Every structure is written in C-alpha cells, then in structure tokens.
Amino acid sequence: MSKNLCQSNSVLFENYTTHLEKTYNFPPLASKIQAYMVLYSNNEGFTFEDFLEIFKVSKSSLSTSINWLLSLNQIEYYHKIDSRKRYFRLNLNYLPDKLEFLHDIVTRDLSFTKRISDYKLKNQLVNLLKDEGILDVYTEYLENSEKLLKETIIKIKSIQLENK
C-alpha cells in the first residue's frame, strides 16, 4: 500500500475494507478502492495510474475492479478538457444506493416474516416466537426500519436536488 495512507487511518481503512467485503460482497481489491475513495476522495478524483501506484497491483486486476465498481454505479469517471485520462471519483448516489439496498433487504425480510407467521397461524403450527411476543417485536423493528430508511432516502435525494 502507498505511503499516502496515514498511519492513524490505516486501521480505519482496513476495517472499512473488510466491512465492504463482508457486508456487500465486494471483491478485495474493489473494497480497497472503494474504501480509499471514501476516505481520501476529492472532487478531482484519481487516475488509473494513481491507483496503480497506491495499490501496487497488476493493470488487469485494477481494471477489473474499477469496471466492477463502475457497473455497480459506486464510482464514476470524467475526462478533463486538457487530458485524455479518466478521473475516477465516488458516484454522488452511492449513499442513497446503499440505503436502497438495505431498504430492499428489510422489506423482503418483513414480507417473509409476515408470510411465514400467517402460514404457521393458518396451519396451526406451533410458533414459540409468536407466543412469546418476540416475533411481534421483530416485525415492529422491521416496519420501523423500513419506514426510517425510506424517509432517509427521500431526504438525501431532496438535498441532492437542491444542490444541483
């Protein structure tokens, strides 16, 4: 890794990289690129050559990871008028996209939880979680999370529209 990574931030960088790998199933190099961009990004962005120097990986591996992040709309690129190089930066929608991903997970979990509970009630199957009230608490949590995620997505998108 490059000397650009400050020692004090190396633990944060490593932990965030691991979080991206585990939570969002990002490949290791794509996780590093995303984490680096979140921690050290600026409006100008980074060139392919910058990333080669920072991560010390092959051009092929780097290209694959960048293209993967581009395909997920996590990052974007632009060209400067006086340069043929592509400059990569975070996509401004990466946070709302993450929230929509989480919203989708919560919504599906809520749907299945309700459907399974209804099925068990209809077929008179024993449901200890329901009898103890745990399922009600969990369902309430999912409903509140779904609502809060949706409200947060709307707020962020509203701010983004105001700032355009």
Side-chain angles (χ1 to χ4, degrees):
M1 191 78 44
S2 167
K3 294 175 187 170
N4 293 348
L5 277 180
C6 300
Q7 286 291 13
S8 62
N9 291 335
S10 65
V11 172
L12 176 60
F13 172 79
E14 290 168 8
N15 289 339
Y16 188 53
T17 298
T18 302
H19 167 72
L20 291 171
E21 287 179 36
K22 289 181 178 179
T23 305
Y24 299 100
N25 295 318
F26 279 23
L29 182 55
S31 296
K32 289 178 183 179
I33 294 167
Q34 181 78 3
Y36 190 86
M37 291 180 84
V38 168
L39 287 171
Y40 302 106
S41 67
N42 55 37
N43 287 337
E44 187 172 311
F46 303 96
T47 65
F48 189 85
E49 291 75 18
D50 292 336
F51 286 137
L52 280 175
E53 185 177 321
I54 292 165
F55 297 110
K56 308 284 190 233
V57 295
S58 71
K59 289 180 180 181
S60 174
S61 295
L62 182 59
S63 180
T64 299
S65 292
I66 286 174
N67 286 330
W68 189 80
L69 289 168
L70 286 167
S71 74
L72 293 177
N73 292 320
Q74 293 296 303
I75 63 173
E76 61 187 13
Y77 69 88
Y78 72 99
H79 296 277
K80 290 183 179 181
I81 294 175
D82 58 346
S83 175
R84 290 179 46 200
K85 293 181 179 183
R86 293 192 303 174
Y87 290 81
F88 300 96
R89 61 185 176 197
L90 290 172
N91 182 334
L92 293 178
N93 289 322
Y94 92 95
L95 283 177
D97 288 349
K98 284 173 82 170
L99 290 173
E100 286 176 359
F101 172 79
L102 295 172
H103 181 265
D104 186 49
I105 290 171
V106 168
T107 300
R108 282 187 278 133
D109 195 0
L110 179 60
S111 173
F112 280 115
T113 300
K114 287 179 176 179
R115 288 169 55 193
I116 290 167
S117 180
D118 290 346
Y119 170 81
K120 287 188 168 218
L121 284 172
K122 180 181 175 185
N123 292 295
Q124 299 175 345
L125 298 171
V126 175
N127 188 344
L128 293 177
L129 292 176
K130 183 73 173 164
D131 293 342
E132 294 174 3
I134 294 171
L135 195 59
D136 293 334
V137 171
Y138 182 66
T139 302
E140 181 182 359
Y141 162 77
L142 290 174
E143 290 170 343
N144 290 337
S145 296
E146 181 183 38
K147 180 182 174 194
L148 182 60
L149 283 164
K150 193 65 180 167
E151 290 171 358
T152 304
I153 292 166
I154 290 169
K155 285 179 186 176
I156 288 175
K157 287 185 175 185
S158 174
I159 292 168
Q160 286 176 326
L161 283 174
E162 289 173 10
N163 292 329
K164 279 192 172 182

